[in-house]
Amino acid sequence: MKVYKTSEYVPSFPSTRPPPYSQPSTQWTPQTSSTGSDVKSMKHISVDEESPLLLHAVEVASIRRRRSNPLHLLFVPFLFSLILLAVIIRYAFPTFFAPPPPAPTPTTVAIIGGGPAGIAAARRLEKLSVEVDIPVDITIYERKHALGGRLVLSPSNSDRDVYPFEDHSQAALQPEDIAGGSLLHSSAILRKELEISGNMPTFFDHNNRVGVSDGQSFIVDITRPTSRMSWSTWLGQVYRYGASAWRGTSLPVGTVSKIKGLTKLVKHGSFPFSSIAQIRDSLGLAEEASMAANTRLAMNGISEQYTQDIIAPESRRRYGQAVGELSDLALSMAVNDDDQESARAGGLILPALEDMAVYSRAHIRLSTAVSGLKLQLMEPNKTKWIVQSHNESSSAVFEEYDKIIIATPWEPEAIELLYDCEASPETLHYQSRHVTFFTSSRLIDDHRFASDEPGPDQILFGGSVSSKQLSGIDEVAHVKELTRLVDDAVATEHLYRVLSRGTIDDSELVQFFMSNESVISWTYREVVSTLKWYHRPISRYRTDEEPQIESAYPLLYPRDPYGPMALSDSLWHTAAIEGLASSIDFSMFAGENVAALLMDQLKRE
């Protein structure tokens, strides 16, 4: 191999570049080893980095290294083996590489009614849908402006919520202002849901002093809950009523312990029940539901005087019905609920129901009334429900659904049902209830009831009411104190609640203050009934107009059998439970049970 010296090898470069070898370069010189043999060695000096000679030398060295590495000889066979293995697996296991099937079309479900039953049905459907991997698409129709069903006050004005004095700086009236205690704490099923979601509010003890009046004076004092009654008050009742005093307080104990089984059924998922009778029997309430309240009172040795003075006012306050019209189950629930709801305060039920509806991932249509349901054949062996609805700002809207849950009292005058069904929804009968709120700068005059002591928080009317003006009133209660600005000064007002069987005008309200002056500063009136599905004007500001809106207290007389919950394989009705009992927990249990019935039907399909 010929070796060039630097001076002999001069490569060509573009004329625009500087001379290439302005710096010393590598020069080959013969060297003689110590053994005497000639060895060609290279003496390294600095070389230009872009020297062609150096680049060529680096490339040659790189090729020699790759050829001397045995791994590159295995690369091609290895790649060929991978390709062959992929082909074998692809054809040996075709389903493994198949594209995923398209997502199933969700079953569309319309729930008519956004009260406790409808919301519980939506929430249970969502849970079961995840468990069994059957997708559902839920829509809740609620004709009122907020979720809550019959718990929501329904003013006709554009403000929607009811504010004392029409002042939005005041807190809006809540269902708890009617109940007189914590509805949230009284619902074990709803509290369980709040525990799971971590939204449990703080509750605190609350005592309520109750006075029972015959219209002229107070005939007996009661403390609610009974467990916090003072010894002096308790001994006074024993002196007046004898053994009936403690027999009456223990009246609902056995029945209430059975009703608590609802929570256990929900906790363990003991669904579904195909009929109301099965629910009743599973709770062991067959005897209580079929027995008249008067029969139970006689069996327990409760005197007629105790019934007239204490039990009868509580039943009228709770359900708007006399003792003789109730079943033993309804009477026990009335006495227990009236006692326990006032035991705790704290928490609001409407926000809790709204949170539960959000967790159900349902579409919510507020201020939307359903006026028609029609089952229509869309294709061979395929039917769809056509739901006709409307709100205040739109004409009729028609939408298709696979399944329907009616979670409201059935009113054939309000909803046109067009289909041939195995069973029809039961039309239950309801008792109207008038609710009046009013404010006054004065407290109720104690002398009105011949008392020198401060008046009680709640006044019930029992015994033989002698005053015609008070004959239709079941309760007058002090709700809370309010403050507002009047003529640039802070004024204190007292908010009162009146429950009655008829309309109460201002002249009847003024009698509680023993004054002919205008002491009533604000009034709101509402009627609780089931006359129509739609709104009628609400009487406000002491007018004589009679309002009628949707809501209800069911007639809870002893009965058997009950209406059906499953009307067909695509239509269910939750309000059938109100033929047995009426409470938030019973309504929510009916909603969850119907949801389980619906999901079982989807499994079979």
Side-chain angles (χ1 to χ4, degrees), residues 86-100:
V87 172
I88 294 174
I89 293 176
R90 171 64 179 85
Y91 287 96
F93 306 97
T95 57
F96 183 80
F97 291 92

Side-chain angles (χ1 to χ4, degrees), residues 154-168:
S154 305
S156 61
N157 66 345
S158 59
D159 291 341
R160 300 298 187 180
D161 291 324
V162 181
Y163 297 92
F165 319 112
E166 310 304 317
D167 181 1
H168 286 220

Side-chain angles (χ1 to χ4, degrees), residues 164 197 214 224 304 325 350 381 435 481 489 514:
S197 62
D214 60 1
R224 294 287 184 241
E304 183 177 348
E325 300 171 343
L350 293 185
N381 300 324
V435 182
E481 287 188 356
M514 297 186 67

